[in-house]
Amino acid sequence: MAPIPITIVTGFLGSGKTTLILNLIPQLPHTYKIALLKNEFGDVAIDSQLASSAAISGVQELLNGCICCNLVGQLGDALESLLKDIGPDRIIIETSGSAFPATLAMEINRLGRETGNYVLDGVVVVIDVENWKGYEDTSYTAKMQQKYTDLIVFNKWELVDERKYDDCLDRVGDLELQIANVKSDKGRVDQSLLLGLDSALAKDGDSVNGGYSKDKPPHEHSKDHETEVEVLSVNLVSEGDKPKSVDLDALETFLLSAPKDEVYRIKAIVSATRAMASSSGDIDESSRSQPGVSMYILNWAFGRWTFTCSNATLPAPIGVSSSTAATAMSNTHETILRMTIVLARGEASKWKSRLEKGGMVQQEGEGGFLMISRVI
């Protein structure tokens, strides 16, 4: 059997990686099997929920960590599971926004050599042109994602003027690398450009463009990039006879007030009695025909968000041992929100305190048991 090609899609938080993948799927033959391996911060698999609704044959999730560091040892098992259960024609690995692609490429090369089952086809990095200035200046990993790649996709360029786009091009040019680049069409890139890249990272083997060698361990970057972001896990459990719904007015106030230089991503599964408009003003029409409480997926990045009706489920909070949590999880209470918030370094304590003061994430009619823990 020929080895299965693997495409890595990386890029900083909120750059549009999932959108790029979802726009790729319709371009492929119906008989072509795509498997997705998704790595996310926190314990809420929002993007995997979105991806599983598309024509993807199978989804595996690696949560609560970075696939290039503390979860890299799980990569082989996850790929083997997809191979046995799905038998895909291609595997796409979508990394967390803070993953370092060179280390991941090296691990895929190693697994390919040992098993003969996989081959690295290409590494694609997605750059959010609109918010480029904000994270490029502060993120070591964002710079490394641009350097160790086969194709750069400039996303959200339609939302900025020509001068800002040219500035983004100049900053990438400062890396002095011969890397192909393409502008997306609102998150869409032709499949002929994304697939069959014949990755240079696969050819370079363990050296990865000379960036690492046996004398320079591939994980020495971890101290830099793991401390670039902090992650909060937020759970809201219903209280009393009030509607088992999140207060969407309070939630919208929170989304509008979150500064882009402090809060990078907000992802949540939300129970609500109505749909909330996205930042563009659109409302998911599928929710209008569903009376009562429905589940929604909230996906927020740099001041913009979508709110999509979903068949997602809300499991009970994990890793909570307080007496309040024990009371919350009695038979008369249900989880009505599970949220992951990815913040800039040094912001977690401040935002945990703000959320605990109330008025941002609460049950409709006020109240509810709010449980917040720091994940990273």
Side-chain angles (χ1 to χ4, degrees), residues 1-5 79-80 82-91 112 115-119:
M1 182 183 72
I4 298 172
L79 292 175
E80 184 178 2
L82 290 172
L83 178 64
K84 291 181 177 179
D85 297 342
I86 308 300
D89 296 297
R90 177 177 298 271
I91 296 173
T115 67
N117 292 331
Y118 318 106
V119 61

Side-chain angles (χ1 to χ4, degrees), residues 156-186:
K156 305 181 189 178
W157 60 272
E158 305 99 328
L159 304 176
V160 303
D161 57 33
E162 186 174 352
R163 180 175 180 179
K164 189 169 184 178
Y165 175 61
D166 288 341
D167 181 54
C168 184
L169 285 176
D170 290 342
R171 300 296 290 275
V172 172
D174 290 342
L175 297 174
E176 298 181 350
L177 300 169
Q178 297 298 318
I179 297 174
N181 65 77
V182 63
K183 294 161 70 174
S184 76
D185 181 5
K186 297 181 179 178

Side-chain angles (χ1 to χ4, degrees), residues 29 52 68 71 73 83 104 110 119 133 136 176 186 248-249 264 269 280 306 322 338 351 372:
S52 64
C68 72
L71 297 183
L83 178 64
L104 181 56
R110 184 187 69 80
V119 61
K133 186 70 174 178
E136 196 274 343
E176 298 181 350
K186 297 181 179 178
L248 294 183
D249 291 333
Y264 291 152
I269 301 175
S280 64
T306 57
S322 68
R338 174 171 276 186
W351 278 95
I372 306 173

Side-chain angles (χ1 to χ4, degrees), residues 8-11 15 20 101 122-129 132 135 142-155 157 165 168-169 171-184 189 193-194 197:
I8 299 173
V9 179
T10 189
S15 58
L20 182 75
V123 178
V124 178
V125 63
V126 184
I127 292 180
D128 174 0
V129 176
W132 163 268
Y135 66 72
K143 295 181 178 71
M144 291 301 99
Q145 286 171 343
Q146 301 150 34
K147 184 174 182 180
Y148 296 104
T149 187
D150 298 296
L151 176 68
I152 294 175
V153 174
F154 291 108
N155 200 28
W157 60 272
Y165 175 61
C168 184
L169 285 176
R171 300 296 290 275
V172 172
D174 290 342
L175 297 174
E176 298 181 350
L177 300 169
Q178 297 298 318
I179 297 174
N181 65 77
V182 63
K183 294 161 70 174
S184 76
V189 173
L193 300 177
L194 294 175
L197 291 174

Side-chain angles (χ1 to χ4, degrees), residues 35 40 63 121 140 157 207 213 271 288 364:
E40 299 201 52
L63 305 178
D121 179 56
Y140 167 81
W157 60 272
S207 65
S213 68
S271 172
R288 296 183 185 275
E364 193 173 300

